[in-house]
Structures are given as C-alpha cells and as structure tokens.
Amino acid sequence: DVKVTQSSRYLVKRTGEKVFLECVQDMDHENMFWYRQDPGLGLRLIYFSYDVKMKEKGDIPEGYSVSREKKERFSLILESASTNQTSMYLCASSPEGLAKNIQYFGAGTRLSVL
Amino acid sequence: AQRVTQPEKLLSVFKGAPVELKCNYSYSGSPELFWYVQYSRQRLQLLLRHISRESIKGFTADLNKGETSFHLKKPFAQEEDSAMYYCAPYAGNNRKLIWGLGTSLAVNP
C-alpha cells in the first residue's frame, strides 16, 4: 500500500509565523503535490514537483513556497502565515508511467492561523 | 480553458434509491477521467478511472464523449456511500488533474 504521511494532523499558528508542512511518501513516486481544500472550493493546487529540486506553480501559489530536496519528501512553506491561509492542506503523490495520473493522498493537515 | 463541472453541491437520496452524480468537462483531446471519494474522517482516495471500465463498490461511470460527461452511477445507494465525491479529468501532458468542486452525497436511512 502506498503511504503518504503528513507530519501534523492539526496545527495552530499565529499571524506572521513561518510555517512548515511536511509530507513523506514511501513508494518512490516521482510526482508530489500540495493542495488546499476549502468548503465549496474543492481542491486547489498550490505547487507540485515532478522531480527532486524541481517545482511548478499551481493555481494558487501566492504566499507559499515549496522544497523538495529528497525524492520522498515535499515541504510546503508559508513564509508569513495569514488568517486567510487557514485551511485543510492535502499532500499527494503519483508515479510516472501508466499510472501517473493516479494520486495518493495523505490524511491532511488542518491549519488554523490566529 | 479546461474545466470540470459538478452541478450539484449536495445530493440527498434514500437508501436503496438509484444515485447519479453528474460531471461535465470541457477538454480538447482524449481525456482520462477519474472519480475520487472522501469518506468522513478518511483520506481522499481513488474510486474509479474510466479506462478501467470496472465497477467499484457498485459504482460505475461511463465516459460520454459526445456529451462530454462522466457521470457516476449506482443503482441502489447504501448509507456507507455517504461521502464527498470529486470528478477529476486529467489535464494533459503535465501530470495535473483538474478538480471539480465536489458533490456531497448523503444517503438517508
């Protein structure tokens, strides 16, 4: 079974703090994704990475950055957290090849910015 | 622009009734389409993909290229089917899926 693990289930941070959300996958997948999930807005892609040290902006990258130094780990960084970044954050991974469009998700991190 | 539309935010049916969750897409080319499901307090997971042509948990989905639709159907809904369902076409040769806004299915006893 593919395992995508997000380091925290719940996080509470203060406005202006730098926040790190970590995601690790154990299936040697090339592609990794960060989404935020908000009621009524579905899933919105923040950033994705198709290889180590490679990243591409998604639909809503503003206020976020990412880091992928190792294949199994993809970090989402909020440089200066704001209240409008309160959300559920989902990490996903997918392989290359025929199954490249099947994404496997972590359990999510619910971030509250006060 | 490539888009996917799930017209119903909420769908409520009784146990044993047929259910159809609608998905329409705009896509130029040969799309690959997926349905993902998120049960309460569980992670988002793949339910089915159109190229598999299989039935998962009693659900089927047929790609209708003429109507550009990929509706999810089940003849007899069960209470355990209550969940959020997302339709997600593949966006092209860039590894990304396009996500619908989701339909929350409530199956009442």
Side-chain angles (χ1 to χ4, degrees):
Chain A
D1 260 359
V2 175
K3 196 86 181 292
V4 179
T5 303
Q6 294 183 230
S7 54
S8 304
R9 196 76 174 93
Y10 300 95
L11 271 181
V12 180
K13 297 292 180 181
R14 297 215 173 269
T15 303
E17 278 192 78
K18 190 168 186 175
V19 181
F20 293 86
L21 303 183
E22 306 286 347
C23 176
V24 177
Q25 50 95 3
D26 66 357
M27 283 302 291
D28 203 36
H29 285 173
E30 286 78 6
N31 307 308
M32 296 188 76
F33 307 81
W34 274 108
Y35 295 92
R36 58 178 287 176
Q37 183 182 33
D38 299 287
L41 297 179
L43 269 72
R44 292 181 291 167
L45 181 65
I46 304 171
Y47 268 97
F48 72 102
S49 168
Y50 52 89
D51 201 352
V52 175
K53 297 192 187 293
M54 304 303 287
K55 61 185 179 185
E56 282 196 25
K57 293 180 180 179
D59 302 315
I60 52 164
E62 296 79 19
Y64 303 94
S65 62
V66 290
S67 171
R68 192 159 180 210
E69 297 296 318
K70 293 185 177 181
K71 191 175 186 180
E72 67 270 19
R73 186 180 297 272
F74 192 35
S75 303
L76 180 69
I77 304 152
L78 287 66
E79 297 290 340
S80 177
S82 63
T83 54
N84 62 13
Q85 292 178 310
T86 291
S87 185
M88 173 68 89
Y89 290 87
L90 300 182
C91 175
S93 71
S94 70
E96 278 297 311
L98 289 176
K100 68 177 182 290
N101 300 322
I102 298 176
Q103 294 188 11
Y104 298 85
F105 284 83
T109 295
R110 186 166 293 282
L111 173 67
S112 296
V113 182
L114 307 177
Chain B
Q2 296 151 348
R3 281 200 313 272
V4 57
T5 303
Q6 292 181 250
E8 303 123 338
K9 280 188 180 179
L10 175 63
L11 189 60
S12 183
V13 301
F14 286 104
K15 178 182 173 181
V19 63
E20 181 180 57
L21 292 88
K22 292 185 168 57
C23 172
N24 292 91
Y25 64 91
S26 64
Y27 187 82
S28 56
S30 297
E32 187 176 5
L33 290 120
F34 301 83
W35 277 98
Y36 280 77
V37 61
Q38 188 170 29
Y39 301 101
S40 178
R41 288 185 287 277
Q42 293 188 29
R43 61 186 68 198
L44 192 58
Q45 58 188 287
L46 176 69
L47 179 61
L48 54 81
R49 59 196 294 207
H50 88 275
I51 63 172
S52 299
R53 295 186 176 275
E54 56 190 346
S55 172
I56 304 292
K57 299 186 179 184
F59 284 96
T60 58
D62 291 321
L63 175 60
N64 185 323
K65 289 188 179 180
E67 296 180 0
T68 59
S69 69
F70 187 53
H71 302 330
L72 184 68
K73 300 176 185 179
K74 185 169 182 177
F76 307 103
Q78 302 299 314
E79 290 179 67
E80 55 265 29
D81 296 328
S82 296
M84 178 68 83
Y85 292 81
Y86 292 95
C87 179
Y90 176 47
N93 193 26
N94 60 4
R95 305 172 181 85
K96 291 195 294 183
L97 297 174
I98 300 176
W99 293 87
L101 296 184
T103 297
S104 178
L105 174 65
V107 181
N108 303 300

